[in-house]
Amino acid sequence: MLDLAARLGAMGAGRVEPNPMVGCVIAREAVESDGAAGEPRIIGLGHHRVFGGPHAEVEALADCRARGQSPRGATAYVTLEPCAHTGKTPPCCDALIEAGVGRVVIARRDPNPLAAGGAARLESAGIRVEFTAVSRSATRLSDPFVKRIRTGLPWVIAKWAQTIDGRIATRTGESQWISGERSRVLVHRLRGRVDAIMTGIGTVLADDPELTARHGVPRRRALRVVIDPQNRLPRTAKVLRTASQELPVLHVRGAGRDEQAGESPGAAPGVSVLRLPLRNELMDLERVLSHLATAHRAGSVLVESGPGLMGGMFRQDLIDEMHVYVGPMIFGDDQALPPVRGIEVEQLVEARRYRLIDARRVGDDVRSVYRRAMPD
Ligand SMILES: NC(=O)c1ccc[n+]([C@@H]2O[C@H](COP(=O)([O-])OP(=O)(O)OC[C@H]3O[C@@H](n4cnc5c(N)ncnc54)[C@H](OP(=O)(O)O)[C@@H]3O)[C@@H](O)[C@H]2O)c1
C-alpha cells in the first residue's frame, strides 16, 4: 500500500514543490468468514497534485466518498506524517479524525517543526498510528523535502550520458550524442521539473547548450545557471541569446578585488550576475546552492556539466542523486573525458558510495538512478 502511495505521490513532481510530494491510499482490511484477516481492499487513492491544492489525505478521503465508500474504521497509508497545522489548507489530521479512520500507517516523520505533531494528534483522537520503513520508495519520496527543511539547501541531481567504458566526451570534447533520442526526451522532462539547471563554462564553450526543457509542457521553468569563475562566457552563447524574464539566466563569476560579492542585474533582460569570491580560482559551490535556495527559492537543481564542475560538486559532497545514461558505445581512449575528475582514491574504502534506486532500459540506453543514503 505504501509503495502504491509513493507512486501516486511522485505524480506531483515539479508541481507541488516547495511542498512535499505525498501519496495516500485508504484501504479496508477485509475479514474472512472464519474471522481471519483477508486482503485489504482499496477504497480511496489520493496525492498532492499542485502547490496550494488539497493534500493527499484529503484527496484520498474525497475519492472514498466519490466511490460511495465510507472511510470509517479503514486504514490510511501515507508517505509523510499528516500535517497538524493550518497552512494553505486545514490540517490533514483533522480530516482523518473527522472521517473516523481507524489506523494510519506512515512512512516518514514530518521534519518541518511547523507541521509536525500530526501523529500525536491522531493518537490522542484514539487512532492507531504506525511508522514503518517497509516501503523504501515511500520513505525516499520525501528525501528532497526532508533535506531542504534540515539544511536549507536544494536537492541536487547530477545527470550525464556516458559510454559503456565510462566516458562522457571524446578527447576533442565531442559528446553529442552519446545517449539516444528517448533518453534525451527523459532529460528534457526532468529539466521541466526542477527549479535550476546548472552547468560549467567548459560545457558552454564546448557544446553551447540552451539548457531549456523542449519536449512537452514543462511543469516549471528552471533558472539556468552558468558557473564561470574567469568570466569567459561569450555574449553569443545560446543561454544568453535565449534569456528573457520567462527564461532567466544566472551568470556566476568570480568577484574581482574591488568588486562586492552578490547578485546584480546583467547587461541583457533576464540575465543576472552573481559575483562570488574565488579561492585558488575556484568558488564555494555550496554557497552557490544556498544562494539559489534563498534568493531564487530553488528546491531542486539539475547539474549538467563536464568533469570539471562535476568534480567540484562531488569534492564538496553536494550531489544527492545521479541519473546516468549509458549509451551502447565504447571509446577505449584514456584521453576521453570521464564524468567526474579531481578526486584521489587509493583504496576502495575511500570511494563514495551511493544506492542504486532504479535501472531501466530506455531505447538502446540504460538509465540508472543513484541516491545517497539519507538519515530518516
Ligand atoms: N556526456 C555528457 O553528459 C556531458 C554533459 C556535459 C558536458 N559534457 C562534456 O564535458 C566537456 C566539458 O568538460 P569541462 O570539465 O571543461 O566542463 P564543465 O565542468 O562544464 O566546466 C568546467 C569549468 O567550470 C569551472 N569550475 C569547475 N569547478 C569549479 C569550482 N569549484 N568553482 C568554480 N568554477 C569551477 C572551471 O572554469 P575555469 O576553467 O574558467 O576556471 C572549469 O574549467 C565537453 O566536452 C562536453 O561535451 C558531456
Side-chain angles (χ1 to χ4, degrees), residues 6 130 132 145 151 160 166 172 194 196 200 202 204 242 273 281 337:
E130 287 167 34
T132 170
F145 176 72
T151 66
W160 66 79
T172 62
V194 293
V204 175
T242 53
V273 178
E281 313 225 312
L337 301 186

Side-chain angles (χ1 to χ4, degrees), residues 54-369:
H55 288 186
E57 300 86 330
V58 172
E59 286 265 324
L61 290 169
D63 188 38
C64 285
R65 289 180 203 113
R67 298 177 194 220
Q69 299 283 338
S70 163
R72 194 154 291 281
T75 300
Y77 297 84
V78 230
T79 55
L80 187 67
E81 182 178 356
C83 68
H85 84 309
T86 305
K88 290 218 174 302
T89 60
C92 297
C93 333
D94 291 359
L96 292 168
I97 294 166
E98 265 169 44
V101 299
R103 184 167 75 117
V104 179
V105 179
I106 307 167
R108 194 93 181 245
R109 220 172 257 287
D110 194 328
N112 187 354
L114 264 179
R121 188 131 139 205
L122 292 168
E123 273 173 337
S124 60
I127 296 175
R128 249 167 64 212
V129 175
E130 287 167 34
F131 281 92
T132 170
V134 286
S135 165
R136 284 190 174 183
S137 54
T139 310
R140 282 187 198 125
L141 186 70
S142 308
D143 279 352
F145 176 72
V146 170
K147 180 193 176 190
R148 190 175 61 74
I149 297 293
R150 285 200 184 136
T151 66
L153 292 174
W155 185 254
V156 183
I157 303 171
K159 168 261 149 190
W160 66 79
Q162 65 171 54
T163 61
I164 298 168
D165 56 334
R167 302 291 169 162
I168 58 130
T170 64
R171 58 166 70 201
T172 62
E174 199 187 339
S175 67
Q176 291 170 334
W177 301 106
I178 289 173
S179 55
E181 200 172 327
R182 283 173 64 182
S183 295
R184 300 204 301 275
V185 169
L186 287 188
V187 172
H188 278 269
R189 191 190 293 168
L190 181 60
R191 283 180 177 179
R193 292 176 180 194
V194 293
D195 294 317
I197 303 171
M198 189 159 109
T199 195
I201 184 65
T203 299
V204 175
L205 296 177
D207 302 341
D208 197 16
E210 208 172 287
L211 300 177
T212 49
R214 295 189 295 277
H215 278 280
V217 183
R219 292 183 171 188
R220 47 185 60 206
R221 296 261 182 214
L223 171 71
R224 295 168 294 156
V225 182
V226 180
I227 306 293
D228 177 23
Q230 312 302 329
N231 198 15
R232 297 195 280 151
L233 181 63
R235 267 200 227 144
T236 51
K238 265 192 207 151
V239 265
L240 291 183
R241 280 194 283 125
T242 53
S244 64
Q245 301 304 343
E246 293 74 44
L247 286 175
V249 171
L250 181 65
H251 180 197
V252 186
R253 65 176 187 77
R257 255 192 218 147
D258 43 1
E259 284 178 324
Q260 254 204 324
E263 187 174 330
S264 54
V271 180
S272 8
V273 178
L274 171 64
R275 289 179 179 80
L276 288 181
L278 297 181
R279 192 189 280 176
N280 299 329
E281 313 225 312
L282 297 175
M283 54 185 60
D284 180 351
L285 297 169
E286 181 166 334
R287 193 160 162 192
V288 177
L289 294 179
S290 124
H291 179 85
L292 292 176
T294 49
H296 296 272
R297 301 173 55 119
S300 53
V301 176
L302 175 64
V303 184
E304 294 194 52
S305 77
L309 179 59
M310 210 58 98
M313 295 295 290
F314 276 97
R315 270 198 306 280
Q316 284 193 251
D317 197 17
L318 299 174
I319 303 292
D320 300 300
E321 182 170 312
M322 279 166 268
H323 291 208
V324 181
Y325 290 87
V326 179
M329 243 184 250
I330 286 191
F331 289 169
D333 181 352
D334 57 13
Q335 302 286 313
L337 301 186
V340 186
R341 69 155 50 119
I343 302 172
E344 279 178 28
V345 174
E346 288 190 5
Q347 292 183 315
L348 277 179
V349 287
E350 299 164 27
R352 276 149 218 271
R353 279 186 180 272
Y354 294 84
R355 286 191 184 168
L356 176 69
I357 62 164
D358 186 44
R360 72 177 57 166
R361 181 180 182 139
V362 183
D364 285 335
D365 304 335
V366 172
R367 185 194 71 173
S368 309
V369 176

